[in-house]
Amino acid sequence: MTFSYQNHGVCSKETRIDLDENGVIRDIEVLGGCNGNLKGLCSLLKGMQAQDAIERMSGLTCGARTTSCPDQVARALQEAVKAF
C-alpha cells in the first residue's frame, strides 16, 4: 500500500510510504528538507516494522520547533498504518 502525507511545521514538504501487508516499510521517501539526512533516515527505515519506527521517532523536535522531520515521518507512518 502506498500512502502520501503532507508534512507540517518542518522544512520537508511530503512523506511517501509503501508498506507491505505485515506493516513493514518497503519504501519511504521524504521530499524537501535536508536531503542527505533524510535519504539516510529513509535508508535506515526500509525493512523496519512501521510501529518500531513510530516508537523511535515520535516526539523528536528540531531546535525550537515542537516537531521535526523524523517526528513527521512517524506521524505519516501512524496515518499509513491506520489507513491499511
Side-chain angles (χ1 to χ4, degrees):
M1 176 197 75
T2 302
F3 183 82
S4 181
Y5 178 85
Q6 297 302 308
N7 297 342
H8 304 281
V10 294
C11 300
S12 61
K13 302 297 179 207
E14 182 180 358
T15 300
R16 296 179 184 163
I17 300 166
D18 184 19
L19 294 179
D20 74 9
E21 62 278 355
N22 298 311
V24 174
I25 302 166
R26 281 194 279 215
D27 194 32
I28 187 162
E29 179 183 20
V30 181
L31 305 175
C34 301
N35 190 314
N37 289 334
L38 292 171
K39 282 181 183 175
L41 175 67
C42 291
S43 180
L44 291 169
L45 293 175
K46 289 179 187 173
M48 183 182 281
Q49 285 286 333
Q51 194 57 46
D52 291 339
I54 292 165
E55 290 171 12
R56 290 180 183 199
M57 297 185 299
S58 289
L60 294 176
T61 60
C62 182
R65 296 178 179 160
T66 59
T67 189
S68 65
C69 289
D71 180 59
Q72 289 296 299
V73 169
R75 292 177 192 203
L77 286 166
Q78 287 174 326
E79 295 298 318
V81 168
K82 282 184 201 175
F84 193 67

